[in-house]
Amino acid sequence: MASTSPSFSYLIKSEIINEKFDGGDMSLNRMYLRDMFLATGSMSNPEKGYHLEFVFSEESQALKTLEAMQEFSLKAKITKRSKNYVLYIKEGEDIALFLNIIGAHKSLLELENIRVIKDVSNNVNRVVNCETSNLRKTVNASLKQTEDIELIFAEKGEKYLEPNLRQLADLRLSYPNATLEEMGHLSEPKISKSCVNHRLRKISEIAKKIRNDE
């Protein structure tokens, strides 16, 4: 269960009590949902998580409120908590729609601002995590390639490799942090990323054979 935040719930309730609504725009279900939120509703701090709920002592009240929400295609569920029936919404978009339905437009704007900031932060974190993961893979691959090359040179000598493989081996030792694409540009003549990868695999196979022979 999400912890409720009196501050955000208070913001919503204060708004729908103090703001004047256009009666023509407030259907019976809109009015009902607004009144139910004032009486039994609460909302968690959206900076921590999305959770809006109503607590009823009677299941019939929860079902009636759920039916009113379904008119607006809101995704809500009912669960039993102790002796009460809890009707809740957990999706940010549905909570935003609910606030719009009951006319809490200032609260809706505040919620959307928080959602935008959270989305941007999450996207940045995903990009950073992806780049970190890719960098880790590149570093690990480079270390393995360097280990293979040093083994070959130590056991068989540099001339054991074909000229095209030896050139790539020298590049890897000289540029341990270079990507496959960068190594392709450094080669003479330049070669594609897939060609670099193919030659490095051949070097790895040679090193593997030397280890197995040992």
Side-chain angles (χ1 to χ4, degrees):
M1 180 186 71
S3 61
T4 57
S5 168
S7 58
F8 208 87
S9 296
Y10 178 79
L11 176 68
I12 300 169
K13 291 183 179 184
S14 295
E15 181 179 359
I16 58 181
I17 288 173
N18 296 323
E19 289 292 330
K20 294 181 179 180
F21 295 102
D22 182 354
D25 188 44
M26 294 297 284
S27 68
L28 289 178
N29 276 343
R30 286 176 184 264
M31 293 286 289
Y32 175 79
L33 290 175
R34 184 183 66 162
D35 292 343
M36 281 298 98
F37 186 80
L38 283 173
T40 67
S42 63
M43 181 175 169
S44 66
N45 182 347
E47 293 181 355
K48 297 180 180 178
Y50 303 122
H51 185 93
L52 184 146
E53 68 177 35
F54 301 76
V55 180
F56 302 100
S57 58
E58 300 293 333
E59 184 178 17
S60 59
Q61 294 176 309
L63 291 171
K64 182 178 179 181
T65 306
L66 176 62
E67 184 178 348
M69 287 185 175
Q70 289 172 339
E71 178 188 327
F72 305 100
S73 300
L74 285 166
K75 299 182 184 68
K77 294 182 180 179
I78 297 175
T79 188
K80 189 81 181 290
R81 184 190 300 160
S82 186
K83 295 182 180 181
N84 296 317
Y85 295 87
V86 179
L87 174 63
Y88 64 92
I89 304 174
K90 291 192 72 69
E91 296 295 328
E93 289 186 9
D94 287 300
I95 293 175
L97 176 57
F98 176 80
L99 295 179
N100 186 51
I101 290 167
I102 65 173
H105 299 123
K106 291 180 180 178
S107 301
L108 170 59
L109 181 60
E110 178 66 19
L111 172 64
E112 293 292 21
N113 286 338
I114 293 171
R115 290 181 67 201
V116 168
I117 293 171
K118 287 180 69 173
D119 286 345
V120 170
S121 178
N122 289 338
N123 287 335
V124 169
N125 287 336
R126 277 193 292 270
V127 170
V128 170
N129 290 338
C130 181
E131 290 182 349
T132 301
S133 176
N134 289 337
L135 179 59
R136 186 179 297 113
K137 290 177 182 178
T138 299
V139 170
N140 289 340
S142 175
L143 290 172
K144 179 62 170 60
Q145 291 155 10
T146 300
E147 182 181 306
D148 289 342
I149 293 165
E150 290 177 342
L151 172 69
I152 295 170
F153 285 179
E155 294 292 329
K156 301 294 184 178
E158 295 185 14
K159 293 184 178 179
Y160 185 76
L161 294 177
E162 300 171 8
N164 59 349
L165 298 183
R166 189 164 67 249
Q167 178 192 210
L168 205 58
D170 290 336
L171 284 174
R172 173 49 80 204
L173 294 178
S174 299
Y175 302 96
N177 297 323
T179 64
L180 299 185
E181 187 174 2
E182 289 168 343
M183 288 181 66
H185 285 296
L186 290 168
S187 299
E188 290 292 343
K190 293 181 181 180
I191 56 177
S192 67
K193 177 180 175 181
S194 61
C195 185
V196 172
N197 191 44
H198 174 71
R199 292 182 183 179
L200 287 172
R201 280 205 307 268
K202 289 185 68 175
I203 292 173
S204 177
E205 290 169 2
I206 293 170
K208 182 179 180 181
K209 187 175 183 304
I210 292 173
R211 290 188 180 97
N212 290 337
D213 290 343
E214 294 176 346

